Each structure stands twice: as C-alpha cells, then as structure tokens.
C-alpha cells in the first residue's frame, strides 16, 4: 500500500489529533507500508496538524550508552566489557544516534529546531511551542520521573500516539512505574559515557530500575475502561490516548497487580 502526506494527515485527524495538541509519538515507519517520502513525510504531516501552537515529542534514546552489565551489549563477550567502558563515545545531543527508536524518531532528532535532552542514554526530542519547557531539564537520575519530559507532558495534559507499535513501546507507562508503590521496587546504578569538565567520564548514577514486562497487559486493561481512538494509517494500526488517564490508570493497575 502506498500512502502520501495528505492521506496521513487525514488519518491522523480521523484518529483525533488536532491543532495545538501536545503529543508524544512512538512509531514504526515499516509498519505503515510504503510511505511516499518516508520518515520526512510522517514528520511533516504531524507538524502540519498540530501547528505552531502544538508540540511533538519523541523518544531519542541511545541506550547503547549503558554498561554491558545491563545487557545493552549482548553481542560482546564479557571479557571485553571493560573495553566498552573505556572506549564508548561520549553522548553528544547533536551527533549520537538513537537506538531502536525507529526511522521517524531518528530523523526527528535532526529536524530543524528540534531540541534534544541531555540524558546520555534516555533522551527525548521535542519540537514546537512547549519544546523548550519539556526538554530544559533531564537529570541523570530522573530518567522517567516527575522532572523528566514525561512528567512535564503529564503536567501539560499531553496525548500519546502509537503508530504501528504496541504498549511495550509506550514510554509514558514508565512515569507510572515511578509513581506506583509495588513489591520489588528498587533503584539500580547505571553508567554512561559523558563529558565532565572537558573530559570523558564513565559516569555512575542511581535511578529507578524498570523493565516494562507488563506494559502490554496494562494497555489491554486500560482500553477496557478508557477511550482509546484506534484507526489505521496505511498498514499500521494506530492508537491515540490521553497521557494523564493512561498514567493514572497504570499507577492503580501496578499497585493492584504487580507482585
């Protein structure tokens, strides 16, 4: 199936995306079929809909900039882990590529006026009216919490758009991880290559341990109780929902079900 920008615009409007919306987008370009113009076309369609009053946010995580102990470098033998720690490139907001975020997010991080956060492994990019506010602070230890871009999206009553991906990719659920109380909740120490006082440092920082294993189950339960607009763009199944409703529901679900 071949689709163009106007068809994407029509489908997104049908889904419920509107002028002035603040929306975090998770996407798979491949799932849509043949998009005439590829990732550029999808981003242009999103920008045309939300307009100058709106804001688009995408995850631009570079999680390969994590310690091999986390499993981020599964293809490397353990005896080579120290080599990774000593040589992995320093995070650069303008240069460092995304890891498995998809072609749309990878192009979006390089889009003119797109602002990327400073987190070396879990960054977000934003473009539009509230981009500066959403990205201005992203503490090493507050990856997905209250002062992170996810917390600011919640404050701004944002929407979540899933294009051809499921709830396992729905990053906003990590904010619920932070807020919920559940057995086994604990912090961990992570490491990333950063520039500190002009020198490369393999930086240690403490943050909440999260894995998202039950996110699909949370999403399925959420759809039974709340309105989620479901439609298609090309071959992709797409979902649009309110982020506050999702996060608040997920906090309750986690506290009741996560053991």
């Amino acid at each position: 199936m071949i689709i163009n920008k106007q068809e994407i615009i029509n489908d997104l409007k049908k889904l419920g995306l509107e002028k002035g919306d603040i929306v975090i987008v998770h996407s798979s370009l491949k799932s849509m079929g043949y998009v005439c113009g590829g990732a550029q076309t999808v981003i242009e369609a999103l920008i045309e809909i939300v307009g100058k009053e709106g804001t688009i946010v995408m995850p631009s995580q570079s999680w390969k900039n994590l310690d091999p102990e986390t499993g981020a470098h599964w293809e490397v033998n353990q005896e080579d882990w120290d080599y990774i720690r000593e040589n992995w490139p320093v995070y650069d907001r303008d240069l460092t590529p995304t890891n498995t975020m998809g072609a749309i997010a990878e192009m979006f991080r390089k889009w003119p006026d797109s602002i990327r956060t400073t987190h070396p492994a879990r960054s977000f990019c934003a473009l539009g009216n509230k981009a500066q506010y959403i990205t201005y602070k992203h503490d090493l230890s507050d990856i997905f919490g209250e002062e992170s871009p996810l917390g600011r999206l919640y404050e701004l009553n944002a929407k979540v758009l899933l294009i051809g991906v499921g709830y396992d990719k729905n990053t906003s659920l990590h904010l619920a991880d932070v807020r919920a109380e559940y057995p086994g909740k604990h912090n961990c120490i992570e490491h990333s290559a950063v520039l500190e006082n002009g020198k490369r440092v393999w930086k240690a920082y403490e943050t909440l341990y999260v894995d998202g294993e039950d996110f699909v189950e949370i999403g399925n339960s959420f759809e039974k109780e709340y309105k989620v607009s479901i439609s298609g763009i090309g071959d992709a199944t797409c979902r649009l929902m309110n982020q506050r409703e999702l996060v608040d529901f997920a906090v309750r679900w986690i506290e009741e079900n996560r053991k």
Side-chain angles (χ1 to χ4, degrees):
M1 186 175 189
I2 301 178
I3 52 176
N4 61 30
K5 183 168 69 174
Q6 190 56 54
E7 289 170 323
I8 295 172
I9 289 172
N10 294 342
D11 288 338
L12 286 172
K13 287 183 176 180
K14 179 182 176 183
L15 201 62
L17 195 65
E18 299 174 332
K19 182 179 180 180
D21 275 347
I22 300 169
V23 59
I24 179 168
V25 182
H26 303 270
S27 60
S28 165
L29 180 64
K30 186 188 299 183
S31 71
M32 301 170 72
Y34 187 91
V35 177
C36 189
Q40 178 181 342
T41 296
V42 179
I43 296 169
E44 288 179 355
L46 288 164
I47 292 171
E48 286 192 28
I49 293 173
V50 303
K52 293 182 179 179
E53 301 88 347
T55 306
I56 302 164
V57 179
M58 295 189 195
S60 54
Q61 297 181 32
S62 50
W63 51 262
K64 280 286 189 178
N65 192 5
L66 288 173
D67 198 276
E69 258 187 359
T70 66
H73 301 274
W74 63 87
E75 68 272 42
V76 176
N77 295 325
Q78 187 168 350
E79 56 264 31
D80 295 320
W81 284 3
D82 282 340
Y83 188 88
I84 298 293
R85 293 169 180 137
E86 293 168 5
N87 291 280
W88 196 261
V90 165
Y91 172 72
D92 185 309
R93 283 198 286 183
D94 297 322
L95 185 62
T96 302
T98 61
N99 298 132
T100 65
M101 297 292 103
I104 297 170
E106 173 61 15
M107 177 171 278
F108 186 71
R109 76 168 179 88
K110 297 179 283 187
W111 201 266
D113 298 322
S114 177
I115 305 173
R116 192 178 189 184
T117 66
T118 57
H119 200 284
R122 309 290 192 181
S123 65
F124 291 81
C125 278
L127 175 71
N129 187 37
K130 297 294 183 180
Q132 190 71 46
Y133 177 70
I134 291 168
T135 60
Y136 85 90
K137 181 181 179 183
H138 197 181
D139 188 80
L140 276 173
S141 296
D142 191 20
I143 295 176
F144 300 125
E146 304 301 336
E147 297 298 320
S148 75
L150 293 181
R152 303 207 180 278
L153 287 167
Y154 182 95
E155 176 189 336
L156 295 167
N157 199 25
K159 293 179 179 178
V160 177
L161 174 62
L162 306 180
I163 301 177
V165 298
Y167 283 93
D168 57 320
K169 305 298 183 185
N170 197 333
T171 311
S172 291
L173 290 171
H174 285 303
L175 179 58
D177 272 324
V178 173
R179 294 181 173 184
E181 295 299 330
Y182 53 91
K185 184 177 183 179
H186 67 283
N187 287 355
C188 65
I189 302 297
E190 293 193 342
H191 301 77
S192 297
V194 300
L195 198 64
E196 198 169 76
N197 298 321
K199 294 183 179 180
R200 180 196 180 276
V201 176
W202 190 241
K203 182 79 171 181
Y205 52 98
E206 185 175 1
T207 188
L208 178 68
Y209 176 82
V210 291
D211 57 32
E213 287 185 359
D214 50 13
F215 282 7
V216 172
E217 191 176 355
I218 292 171
N220 291 337
S221 299
F222 175 70
E223 290 188 5
K224 294 176 181 177
E225 298 187 27
Y226 287 85
K227 179 183 177 182
V228 176
S229 179
I230 303 175
S231 187
I233 301 178
D235 295 331
T237 299
C238 303
R239 287 172 164 82
L240 186 70
M241 66 205 73
N242 180 273
Q243 196 224 31
R244 278 187 190 172
E245 290 180 350
L246 175 67
V247 171
D248 291 346
F249 173 86
V251 169
R252 297 192 300 270
W253 191 99
I254 289 169
E255 292 182 341
E256 293 173 3
N257 295 281
R258 190 177 286 179
K259 307 298 182 186

